[in-house]
Amino acid sequence: GRDIQGYEFGAQWRSPKTNFGQFTFNGEATHYILRRSQADEKSPLLDELDRNGRVKWRANASLSWRRGPVSLGWFSTYFGSFVDTSAATTESIYRALGAPSYIRVFNDNGIIRYLLRVDPTYNHNAWISYRFTGRTQAWLKGVSVRGGINNVLDSEPRQADEQYGYQSGTANVRGRQYTFEVSRKF
């Protein structure tokens, strides 16, 4: 079984409509304080928190603006730091390397380990859209166009000792992507 404990936070705020438009903010965060698993009653209890992609903090936030038919927005995600237990070294190698920051001295239930520290991951997406109204050509009424950029900063996933060289689910591995969408309400 698994025992997972933590806190989830969320907030949303929408400004009043003004001559400058309307702003909307959304934010969510999860803070895990306990994450344990046990295969069966006779197996040892494993502490998984802060190891192998099971981070203490995850969060996302978005900010959007709308004025008339135009809207735009920004969406950011955060995936916290963790250690990769399959990428370990010894104390002597850690000291010979000059105690680098990419190796974390980790107390694993009383045993000191020297493990790869996987840095936090940030990802940013942006979009802009235009909605045609009744003041335009009849065939354009109800049409919306939207363009976006996923992974705006073209961030690469953090290296980890996994099958593809990164921890799955932590980052956008496809690099910067451009999107374009045309839709119509009937």
Side-chain angles (χ1 to χ4, degrees):
R2 284 205 164 104
D3 186 8
I4 300 173
Q5 296 176 18
Y7 301 95
E8 292 187 347
F9 309 92
Q12 181 181 48
W13 174 79
R14 184 169 299 178
S15 74
K17 291 181 181 179
T18 68
N19 290 339
F20 298 111
Q22 184 176 34
F23 292 89
T24 302
F25 169 79
N26 288 299
E28 298 174 340
T30 301
H31 176 62
Y32 293 102
I33 56 172
L34 178 74
R35 192 169 191 131
R36 289 189 237 164
S37 68
Q38 188 173 21
D40 56 47
E41 297 164 358
K42 296 177 184 175
S43 298
L45 187 63
L46 302 175
D47 182 2
E48 298 177 331
L49 188 61
D50 209 20
R51 296 175 173 100
N52 303 323
R54 293 169 183 94
V55 297
K56 290 181 182 177
W57 282 99
R58 298 175 75 145
N60 67 67
S62 66
L63 179 64
S64 60
W65 170 81
R66 174 174 291 196
R67 182 169 183 235
V70 178
S71 59
L72 53 93
W74 189 273
F75 177 77
S76 297
T77 60
Y78 169 81
F79 191 88
S81 178
F82 60 93
V83 294
D84 187 340
T85 60
S86 63
T89 191
T90 63
E91 180 182 6
S92 58
I93 292 175
Y94 172 72
R95 296 207 186 286
L97 291 171
S101 62
Y102 62 85
I103 297 175
R104 185 163 142 203
V105 180
F106 192 79
N107 185 338
D108 190 7
N109 298 320
I111 300 169
I112 302 300
R113 299 186 188 275
Y114 299 85
L115 304 172
L116 174 65
R117 178 185 185 271
V118 180
D119 289 332
T121 302
Y122 302 88
N123 189 43
H124 305 281
N125 302 333
W127 56 269
I128 186 168
S129 71
Y130 184 84
R131 183 176 22 100
F132 292 93
T133 61
R135 294 181 232 152
T136 59
Q137 300 282 342
W139 64 275
L140 283 175
K141 186 176 180 181
V143 172
S144 294
V145 291
R146 178 180 168 124
I149 304 172
N150 293 336
N151 195 358
V152 172
L153 304 177
D154 199 20
S155 302
E156 293 188 14
R158 306 295 189 213
Q159 289 185 346
D161 185 24
E162 300 296 326
Q163 181 177 1
Y164 299 111
Y166 63 92
Q167 181 68 40
S168 177
T170 63
N172 180 341
V173 297
R174 295 178 295 260
R176 185 178 298 127
Q177 301 166 320
Y178 299 92
T179 63
F180 183 74
E181 173 185 319
V182 177
S183 61
R184 181 165 193 218
K185 288 186 180 180
F186 291 97

